[in-house]
């Protein structure tokens, strides 16, 4: 509590009087934080005949009690740049010292992507007389920010077989995340004749901490392959007849 005291017996070094001492008393017996250091204390003696005498002693008051440090846990969320921070006030749960705290500081205050999870942080307090104490708080670092998704529109030209493919890399226009790699995917990556025209495709990215976000890309599907034909050779007259088809896997010749 920042209190110390002495009694006459702590200071008296065998004071005496030929006719007998009646009373011994001190000028100060109780000391507080403001008395830390050397103090001059007077011991006064009164004999049986009311004669007085005194002597002085140096009483050195020491504060050797460490502060009481109280910590509270905290959850912090990383920002778009993958950085989060705390201050002493976020962790201090009412640390105190009878003689007053001089300094409170944390073992660390800034956190990044590699800190996602839970980790200990130490709060240290130093009082006015140089005594220190510590406590430890558990800091939960969270990344809840999804990737920055950047789309670019693409054109897919169908093959002669009427099919076309599109990869996520073709749609990606520089998508990124502060905490590293992004897993990319498309809502549709294969196309056929039924998709000819403009299709809206969702481009999704998931970061290493499971956060997802997306953007929309416009995919123009084109069919530029000319029709293929089936050739018939008519018997006897040798007449050639062509029958056009819009879609074919290969050109087939059939003799009739």
């Amino acid at each position: 509590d920042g209190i110390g005291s002495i009694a006459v017996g702590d200071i008296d070094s065998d004071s005496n009087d030929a006719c007998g001492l009646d009373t011994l008393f001190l000028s100060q017996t109780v000391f507080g934080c403001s008395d830390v250091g050397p103090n001059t204390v007077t011991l006064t003696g009164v004999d049986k005949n009311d004669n007085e005498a005194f002597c002085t002693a140096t009483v050195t008051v020491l504060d050797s009690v460490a502060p009481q440090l109280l910590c509270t846990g905290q959850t912090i969320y990383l920002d778009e740049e993958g950085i989060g921070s705390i201050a002493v006030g976020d962790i201090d749960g009412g640390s105190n010292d009878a003689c007053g705290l001089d300094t409170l500081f944390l073992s660390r205050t800034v956190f990044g992507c590699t800190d996602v999870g839970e980790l200990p942080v130490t709060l240290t307090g130093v009082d006015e007389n140089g005594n220190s104490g510590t406590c430890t708080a558990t800091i939960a670092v969270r990344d809840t920010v999804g990737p920055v998704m950047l789309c670019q529109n693409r054109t897919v030209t169908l093959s002669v077989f009427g099919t076309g493919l599109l990869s996520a890399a073709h749609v990606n226009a520089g998508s990124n995340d502060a905490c590293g790699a992004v897993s990319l995917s498309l809502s549709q990556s294969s196309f056929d004749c039924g998709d000819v025209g403009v299709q809206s495709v969702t481009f999704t990215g998931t970061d290493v901490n499971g956060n997802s976000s997306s953007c929309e890309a416009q995919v123009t599907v084109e069919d530029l392959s000319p029709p293929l034909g089936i050739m018939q050779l008519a018997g006897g007259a040798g007449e050639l007849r062509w029958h056009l088809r819009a879609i074919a896997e290969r050109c087939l010749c059939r003799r009739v």
Side-chain angles (χ1 to χ4, degrees), residues 36 61-67 97 99 127 129-132:
V36 170
V61 179
L62 302 176
D63 171 21
S64 58
V65 179
D97 186 87
C99 290
D127 69 15
N129 297 306
N131 303 298
S132 64

Side-chain angles (χ1 to χ4, degrees), residues 10-237:
D10 298 321
I11 302 301
D12 180 32
S13 184
D14 199 21
S15 302
N16 60 84
D17 184 88
C19 292
L21 283 168
D22 181 59
T23 306
L24 284 173
F25 60 90
L26 293 168
S27 60
Q28 182 177 355
T29 60
V30 179
F31 303 85
C33 295
S34 61
D35 299 310
V36 170
N39 297 266
T40 299
V41 174
T42 301
L43 173 64
T44 301
V46 181
D47 67 14
K48 298 289 186 180
N49 298 304
D50 292 333
N51 300 300
E52 288 187 3
F54 67 89
C55 64
T56 58
T58 298
V59 176
T60 302
V61 179
L62 302 176
D63 171 21
S64 58
V65 179
Q68 182 181 24
L69 270 293
L70 301 173
C71 283
T72 181
Q74 194 66 241
T75 298
I76 63 173
Y77 297 90
L78 302 182
D79 61 18
E80 292 80 2
E81 297 179 354
I83 300 296
S85 63
I86 55 174
V88 168
D90 299 321
I91 303 301
D92 180 29
S95 303
N96 60 87
D97 186 87
C99 290
L101 282 168
D102 181 62
T103 306
L104 283 173
F105 60 91
L106 293 168
S107 56
R108 64 180 302 184
T109 58
V110 179
F111 305 85
C113 296
T114 58
D115 299 309
V116 170
E118 296 186 350
L119 66 161
V121 171
T122 301
L123 174 65
T124 299
V126 182
D127 69 15
E128 299 287 352
N129 297 306
N131 303 298
S132 64
T134 62
C135 63
T136 300
T138 298
I139 305 301
V141 181
R142 302 286 184 256
D143 170 24
T144 57
V145 179
V148 177
M149 299 304 295
L150 302 173
C151 287
Q152 58 182 339
N153 298 331
R154 302 295 291 188
T155 298
V156 174
T157 301
L158 300 181
S159 69
V160 294
F161 304 110
T163 60
L165 296 175
L166 181 67
S167 71
H170 290 147
V171 176
N172 189 19
S175 302
N176 61 87
D177 186 83
C179 287
V182 179
S183 177
L184 304 175
S185 64
L186 291 172
S187 60
Q188 182 178 357
S189 58
S190 61
F191 303 85
D192 58 26
C193 297
D195 298 310
V196 171
V198 178
Q199 306 296 328
S200 182
V201 175
T202 302
F203 181 46
T204 301
T206 304
D207 67 17
V208 294
N209 293 309
N211 304 299
S212 296
S213 53
S214 60
C215 60
E216 296 292 321
Q218 301 303 309
V219 178
T220 301
V221 182
E222 297 179 336
D223 175 18
L224 302 180
S225 299
L228 297 177
I230 296 178
M231 184 174 66
Q232 277 190 332
L233 294 177

